[in-house]
Amino acid sequence: MKVTVKYFASIRETVGVSSEQRDTQATSLATLRDELIALGGGHAESLARGKAVRLALNQVMCDESVALGEGAEVAFFPPVTGG
């Protein structure tokens, strides 16, 4: 299936693109994240397990257990703090 993946803030800078269209076999956000980590390079560095990463599916915050569907928009971004 095809999905749009968007990257924000430091993740965007490390990956080197703000968004991309991907063909994926992933059935959840967790398996999509694992596919992206397997690409190596900036994807592996910024999305590595153990790193704090927030996710949104179709502009709604969610956790990695959420199912992924055709045409979905997935966003990855680091947690932010304010003051």
Side-chain angles (χ1 to χ4, degrees), residues 28-79:
S28 69
L29 295 181
T31 53
L32 176 63
R33 183 177 178 179
D34 290 338
E35 279 185 9
L36 294 170
I37 290 168
L39 295 173
H43 288 89
E45 181 182 338
S46 61
L47 300 174
R49 294 293 171 187
K51 285 218 167 199
V53 175
R54 302 288 310 254
L55 293 98
L57 178 64
N58 298 324
Q59 301 182 6
V60 176
M61 297 297 297
C62 58
D63 64 39
E64 291 187 353
S65 66
V66 174
L68 191 59
E70 177 71 37
E73 178 189 275
V74 179
F76 290 96
F77 51 96

Side-chain angles (χ1 to χ4, degrees), residues 4-8 12-13 15-20 74 76:
T4 300
V5 182
K6 294 187 173 189
Y7 306 102
F8 293 90
R12 177 188 62 232
E13 292 175 18
V15 170
V17 296
S18 60
S19 68
E20 59 184 327
V74 179
F76 290 96

